[in-house]
Amino acid sequence: MKSDVIVIGAGLAGLAAAAEVADGGRKVLLVDQEPEASFGGQAWWSFGGLFLVDSPEQRRMGIKDSRELAWQDWLGSAGFDREEDSWGSRWAEAYVDFAAGEKRAWLRSMGIRFFPVVGWAERGGYLADGHGNSVPRFHIVWGTGPALVSAFEQRVKRHMQNGLLTYLPRHRVDRLLTENGAVTGISGTVLAPSNAKRGEASTRDAVGAFEYRGQAVLVASGGIGGNPELIRRNWPSRLGEPPKHMLSGVPAHVDGRMLGIAEEAGGRIVNRDRMWHYTEGLKNWDPVWSNHGIRILPGPSSVWLDAKGRRFPAPVFPGFDTLGTLEAIRKTGYDYSWFILTQKIIKKEFALSGSEQNPDLTGKSIRKVLSRVLPGAPEPVQAFMDHGEDFVISDNLPDLVEGMNRLTGDPLLRLEDIERQLKARDREIANKFSKDLQITALRGARRYLGDKLIRAAPPHVILDPKNGPLIAVRLQLVSRKTLGGLQTDLSCRVLNEEGAPVPGLYAAGEASGFGGGGLHGYRALEGTFLGGCLYTGRTAGRAIVEELRQ
């Protein structure tokens, strides 16, 4: 089989790149170790959030945004401070320009539309030039992750029909072929056919071998989020000791093995210690993959306590600073923390990340979306309350605390300590003034129409029985994204240790740290992972076509 370009990985970055190469008239071979059921990779499971700047959706919600403000926020979050950040920072600036420019129009040209209410993720809570989004920028794809994947799947399958693109599932790359320092192809193992459904573990039984050559090879195989051993090996000391227990937010095949293979072929990996894991995880009561974790997308009202029942200090509030909270949790010496909230809060503020946990948005059902205003928690959240192992519900605080201690099997929580903190918090609700920064932040959030409508409950007394029952949620850590990766220039060419391109080798998506080996720096602004896959995939595809033309 003769191809001009070989793309490794049929996730979002790989699909975007393959479509662009075939659009340019070049023959593409797309290989992936998983069955065809997993076409689209991790993106299919996503909530479909995309970072856009100064969009019509923002303007309709009364949000004033600008490219300058977004770049200020990005720099404050990234904290670029290494020699290895030289390309990542350039990629970051190019990506912010893209998000403030043609990104939305490009996606709309493929039929992608957005939910009208813009979300406010990673609010920061620091100074103006520190971490966080100054304004809401989280645009949810109408149809969530599956709709985003579908748009690129359609492009890829058109080229499969016209003969420009060949897709080979169950082809695991074990080696990049090189000649005179240039990457010229791939070799690997043909795996046995598998009936595993999307996300489920598939067999690794070998039934053959393969070797293919091309003028360019693109690595778009994802990061290390499904590989706990690699996560712990690369864990940054600034976040404390590596956790002994984490849930997995991605399938097991997101194992990072292609990163090592690309490194053996001469590619340089940078920022291995930069990673993105969530702190508000639930053990999935109906798991798809092993140790499957689901993240809560919380509003700003829940009281956040550590494993010993001590309230976290500002700005460790729900939805404000993911890695800041992760650091605070790890410093306690425990792998979990607690939310305490009320029925009023869970009804308005709890959503679950993932396409399968949002059937109304995923199914594009306006009727079901409108049902969110009905009494009670949303159906997916209620299912976790009914069947999940991380919820404790009670009409009174003594029984709640007893249930929390019983759940962990470790009597760390003292009723009098938790009661004192909740009463102190509740006294701050009595008037419009407060020294409690979480209460101030809650009231500020409700000034934004989107939060007032669907994300932030009215401030109320937690211990008042009329707002109950009381709910406690054990929050576990959930592995997710790799922020470092193969260092690339602005054409997605993989660089070697001397900073020169490895001929014939390209990288995109999470394998490249979403661009340059880490365009996020230390922290992310959210909505930037899917967008980073799209942008690097598009850039790689177009750059390869231009390189071959020349």
Side-chain angles (χ1 to χ4, degrees):
M1 183 186 303
K2 185 176 180 181
S3 300
D4 298 311
V5 181
I6 299 170
V7 176
I8 304 169
L12 191 58
L15 297 186
E20 292 289 339
V21 172
D23 284 351
R26 296 290 181 167
K27 284 199 168 185
V28 186
L29 173 61
L30 175 63
V31 299
D32 195 286
Q33 69 177 0
E34 294 307 302
E36 191 170 356
S38 288
F39 198 75
Q42 298 176 61
W44 192 93
W45 298 100
S46 75
F47 195 32
L50 291 173
F51 178 92
L52 296 175
V53 178
D54 192 25
S55 69
E57 288 79 14
Q58 285 176 300
R59 293 193 291 271
R60 282 193 289 268
M61 297 297 295
I63 300 164
K64 293 182 179 180
D65 199 6
S66 68
R67 187 268 179 200
E68 292 73 24
L69 183 60
W71 182 232
Q72 173 180 296
D73 288 348
W74 196 288
L75 286 176
S77 297
F80 296 122
D81 62 0
R82 299 174 176 175
E83 176 275 327
E84 293 90 342
D85 291 328
S86 58
W87 284 106
S89 60
R90 278 180 265 189
W91 266 98
E93 188 163 14
Y95 180 70
V96 171
D97 289 341
F98 178 59
E102 62 176 313
K103 181 179 179 181
R104 181 179 181 277
W106 177 61
L107 293 171
R108 283 181 62 85
S109 71
M110 288 179 273
I112 294 168
R113 299 294 183 266
F114 297 97
F115 187 62
V117 179
V118 182
W120 195 356
E122 287 296 296
R123 305 182 188 209
Y126 302 93
L127 301 180
D129 58 355
H131 170 63
N133 285 295
S134 297
V135 298
R137 297 191 177 105
F138 192 80
H139 295 67
I140 301 169
V141 171
W142 185 233
T144 67
L148 192 60
V149 169
S150 177
F152 290 89
E153 181 179 4
Q154 291 174 33
R155 290 178 62 190
V156 165
K157 289 191 172 178
R158 281 198 298 269
H159 289 303
M160 290 170 64
Q161 293 170 358
N162 65 27
L164 280 175
L165 193 150
T166 301
Y167 166 54
L168 297 178
R170 304 299 283 157
H171 280 59
R172 185 187 68 199
V173 176
D174 299 323
R175 181 169 166 251
L176 296 178
L177 304 177
T178 60
E179 293 180 13
N180 299 320
V183 173
T184 58
I186 59 174
S187 65
T189 304
V190 180
L191 301 175
S194 171
N195 293 322
K197 297 177 182 178
R198 182 183 295 274
E200 292 180 348
S202 59
T203 67
R204 293 294 179 262
D205 298 333
V207 295
F210 67 85
E211 183 174 302
Y212 298 114
R213 296 187 181 270
Q215 297 179 65
V217 175
L218 172 69
V219 177
S221 53
I224 67 171
N227 189 331
E229 179 184 347
L230 265 183
I231 290 172
R232 293 189 180 96
R233 188 187 309 167
N234 295 315
W235 188 267
S237 59
R238 64 183 175 275
L239 295 181
E241 291 295 317
K244 296 178 181 177
H245 173 73
M246 292 183 78
L247 301 175
S248 182
V250 295
H253 65 255
V254 187
D255 55 14
R257 63 185 301 276
M258 272 308 306
L259 292 172
I261 292 170
E263 190 175 26
E264 290 175 1
R268 182 192 189 196
I269 297 177
V270 296
N271 300 316
R272 298 175 194 264
D273 64 327
R274 291 181 180 169
M275 49 187 71
W276 190 257
H277 306 303
Y278 290 115
T279 54
E280 314 97 330
L282 303 174
K283 184 73 175 291
N284 194 344
W285 65 273
D286 187 20
V288 177
W289 53 82
S290 177
N291 204 32
H292 189 174
I294 295 292
R295 184 205 177 192
I296 298 169
L297 299 172
S301 299
S302 297
V303 174
W304 207 333
L305 306 173
D306 70 15
K308 291 187 175 182
R310 298 167 297 200
R311 193 173 172 195
F312 285 113
V316 180
F317 307 142
F320 276 67
D321 179 4
T322 295
L323 291 195
T325 306
L326 178 58
E327 180 181 1
I329 291 171
R330 293 305 305 128
K331 285 182 177 178
T332 69
Y334 293 88
D335 295 342
Y336 67 93
S337 59
W338 293 98
F339 274 171
I340 289 183
L341 59 152
T342 65
Q343 181 69 20
K344 276 190 176 181
I345 293 173
I346 205 167
K347 171 188 178 299
K348 190 97 176 231
E349 297 193 5
F350 263 40
L352 300 173
S353 183
S355 56
E356 81 283 15
Q357 301 297 333
N358 294 274
D360 50 354
L361 295 169
T362 301
K364 301 182 181 181
S365 171
I366 295 174
R367 181 181 62 81
K368 288 185 178 180
V369 169
L370 293 176
S371 72
R372 293 195 179 210
V373 303
L374 297 175
E379 286 186 16
V381 175
Q382 187 63 52
F384 270 84
M385 294 173 68
D386 294 340
H387 306 292
E389 64 181 51
D390 295 306
F391 283 80
V392 180
I393 303 170
S394 177
D395 290 326
N396 63 82
L397 188 61
D399 287 348
L400 187 80
V401 175
E402 182 181 347
M404 294 163 73
N405 280 326
R406 187 166 55 249
L407 178 61
T408 62
D410 195 355
L412 297 174
L413 305 175
R414 289 163 46 92
L415 171 62
E416 54 268 35
D417 291 341
I418 294 177
E419 185 174 37
R420 173 183 53 79
Q421 293 174 94
L422 293 180
K423 283 183 175 179
R425 179 261 182 209
D426 284 351
R427 290 188 190 103
E428 299 289 312
I429 299 294
N431 56 61
K432 63 181 179 181
F433 306 103
S434 178
K435 68 178 181 182
D436 188 316
L437 291 180
Q438 185 175 5
I439 303 299
T440 301
L442 169 58
R443 288 170 173 157
R446 286 179 59 81
R447 293 173 57 194
Y448 168 47
L449 180 60
D451 274 353
K452 188 172 184 177
L453 288 174
I454 63 173
R455 291 298 288 147
H460 61 270
V461 174
I462 285 180
L463 292 179
D464 188 334
K466 71 180 182 184
N467 297 320
L470 292 170
I471 301 167
V473 187
R474 179 180 58 183
L475 306 173
Q476 304 188 57
L477 306 182
V478 183
S479 69
R480 195 64 175 174
K481 295 295 180 187
T482 312
L483 299 187
L486 292 164
Q487 191 170 45
T488 60
D489 65 12
L490 291 178
S491 295
C492 292
R493 297 183 299 179
V494 174
L495 307 178
N496 62 22
E497 288 294 338
E498 288 71 45
V502 178
L505 183 59
Y506 295 76
E510 194 174 350
S512 68
F514 303 95
L519 63 73
H520 293 98
Y522 288 93
R523 282 177 164 90
L525 289 173
E526 288 285 24
T528 54
F529 302 127
L530 291 175
C533 290
L534 293 171
Y535 185 52
T536 53
R538 188 182 89 148
T539 300
R542 294 180 179 184
I544 291 171
V545 169
E546 180 63 19
E547 177 75 14
L548 296 185
R549 185 187 66 81
Q550 294 178 359

